[in-house]
Amino acid sequence: KMASSSAPWIGSAYLFLQSTCKSIVLPSLYESSQKKPSVFKALKLALADSTGSVNGVDMLKVHCSHPHLIVQLKFCKQENCRRFLQSYREGALQKSLQNHLQVFLAMTTVPLEMELKAGNEHLDNILKDEDHCLECIYREKPDRLRDEEITELEECLKSLIVHQSINNNVAVKGCTSLKSSSLPYPSQDSSLSPQVTFIFQGQQFDNRTITPDDHQKFAKFVSKKWKQVGRSLQKSCRALRDPVIDNLALEYDREGLYEQAYQMLLRFIQSEGKKATIARLIAALEENGLISLAEELLGLHSNEDCS
């Protein structure tokens, strides 16, 4: 069996999208702060059409890899994944996305090519064997949390639906501060507020600022991987940009790993203020395989040590 009765069915796949029209470059449209909300809304609604539910499939990240726009998908129920596969196989997903893009981007037509992958498996080659496709998707567990950028776009979509203009262009008021560089988190000078909740291993947690207890546990258990976590955080934190991390390692070399890790996270907290959230730290830990420590910070462990 692909999942026991007590465990939720969770799988992941990548949807590759490319326009066959040379004048329409999907990654460039998504990298545009003005067009990004429109492209995201088209993706969101097309995926909802494919499963019959706005929560049938979750987008974890949208990658811009010219000429492709690559969407990492997460499925939490086998029946939702099955409906998605049927829609994809029958061409309904492709037609729906083309229609939504045409409307929201105010274009006459947006011809698309699609490809679906799970790990090394090209699912387009085995679409007739739906059970095999399901097995491949189930084997590929999601390797990241949903990007904060996706969460922000979700909030923009909810709040701006009523502002859709007569010509079907989606209003971008409130979304223009999203960075076109697709960073995993907003930069420290962004006007966006941190998300209220976040998902970790299929569970929803309240987001909050990092506490002194979090700070101490991180320094105690992260060990020599503190520099890797710091480099994950530096992507959205100017205070940790090179050569800060290496300088901290040298400055606190005699004090040991605990103090080095403590000082690195202190820099992050001091520079980011209210945006130094547990969600950002958990994402950095997960990115570096420190799942046990992430669970400890979220209270999923007893008083056992993390490795």
Side-chain angles (χ1 to χ4, degrees):
K1 294 182 180 180
M2 283 187 284
S4 65
S5 58
S6 60
W9 194 96
I10 297 177
S12 182
Y14 287 89
L15 181 63
F16 289 72
L17 304 170
Q18 179 181 0
S19 173
T20 55
C21 177
K22 292 184 178 179
S23 63
I24 302 174
V25 184
L26 292 179
S28 296
L29 290 172
Y30 192 79
E31 288 171 336
S32 162
S33 61
Q34 290 186 330
K35 298 293 186 182
K36 181 178 291 184
S38 298
V39 177
F40 178 80
K41 184 176 182 180
L43 286 168
K44 180 72 176 177
L45 295 183
L47 290 171
D49 291 343
S50 73
T51 61
S53 168
V54 293
N55 300 314
V57 56
D58 191 20
M59 283 186 278
L60 297 183
K61 182 174 177 63
V62 178
H63 304 263
C64 293
S65 179
H66 292 260
H68 292 98
L69 197 65
I70 308 171
V71 187
Q72 185 177 7
L73 305 173
K74 175 184 176 182
F75 301 92
C76 290
K77 291 183 179 179
Q78 186 178 153
E79 54 266 34
N80 288 336
C81 189
R82 193 178 292 276
R83 283 194 289 266
F84 169 84
L85 286 171
Q86 291 171 349
S87 177
Y88 181 86
R89 183 176 64 243
E90 294 166 2
L93 173 63
Q94 182 178 15
K95 184 177 180 180
S96 175
L97 182 54
Q98 285 176 327
N99 290 340
H100 287 308
L101 285 170
Q102 179 180 334
V103 170
F104 299 139
L105 294 173
M107 295 180 173
T108 55
T109 181
V110 184
L112 290 176
E113 286 183 350
M114 289 185 167
E115 187 176 0
L116 190 63
K117 296 182 181 179
N120 295 322
E121 192 73 59
H122 292 249
L123 300 185
D124 298 76
N125 299 329
I126 56 171
L127 285 175
K128 292 182 179 179
D129 190 347
E130 191 172 285
D131 287 338
H132 189 188
C133 289
L134 286 167
E135 289 174 3
C136 293
I137 292 172
Y138 177 72
R139 285 199 301 266
E140 295 300 316
K141 300 304 180 190
D143 60 1
R144 65 180 301 115
L145 297 172
R146 179 201 281 187
D147 269 12
E148 188 167 321
E149 180 183 60
I150 296 292
T151 302
E152 296 292 349
L153 284 165
E154 293 269 12
E155 292 303 314
C156 285
L157 178 57
K158 291 176 185 177
S159 63
L160 298 179
I161 281 178
V162 294
H163 299 295
Q164 185 173 335
S165 60
I166 296 174
N167 66 357
N168 287 320
N169 283 326
V170 177
V172 295
K173 181 181 179 182
C175 292
T176 54
S177 60
L178 285 169
K179 303 301 179 184
S180 61
S181 57
S182 295
L183 288 174
Y185 315 105
S187 62
Q188 67 183 55
D189 58 351
S190 169
S191 61
L192 296 169
S193 300
Q195 78 267 38
V196 177
T197 61
F198 66 101
I199 303 297
F200 175 71
Q201 293 187 336
Q203 298 184 52
Q204 190 172 37
F205 294 89
D206 291 333
N207 199 8
R208 53 177 172 76
T209 54
I210 296 170
T211 66
D213 185 56
D214 296 328
H215 196 167
Q216 292 176 3
K217 284 183 178 179
F218 171 83
K220 180 179 179 181
F221 295 126
V222 72
S223 190
K224 61 185 179 181
K225 283 195 172 183
W226 72 268
K227 293 177 75 173
Q228 293 171 242
V229 176
R231 290 196 171 95
S232 293
L233 291 173
Q234 79 176 187
K235 297 172 187 176
S236 60
C237 177
R238 292 177 181 174
L240 292 178
R241 298 284 167 86
D242 291 332
V244 172
I245 292 175
D246 288 335
N247 288 346
L248 286 172
L250 291 172
E251 185 177 354
Y252 295 96
D253 180 59
R254 289 188 177 183
E255 286 82 355
L257 292 173
Y258 177 96
E259 192 62 24
Q260 291 171 332
Y262 188 92
Q263 292 296 328
M264 183 277 291
L265 194 58
L266 181 62
R267 290 288 183 95
F268 176 73
I269 293 169
Q270 289 176 336
S271 66
E272 296 296 290
K274 291 181 179 180
K275 293 180 183 177
T277 62
I278 192 68
R280 294 174 71 181
L281 181 55
I282 294 299
L285 292 173
E286 192 174 44
E287 184 177 326
N288 292 286
L290 295 166
I291 303 302
S292 185
L293 177 49
E295 291 173 344
E296 177 71 23
L297 296 181
L298 294 174
L300 299 179
H301 281 176
S302 58
N303 295 326
E304 62 192 51
D305 284 351
C306 299
S307 56

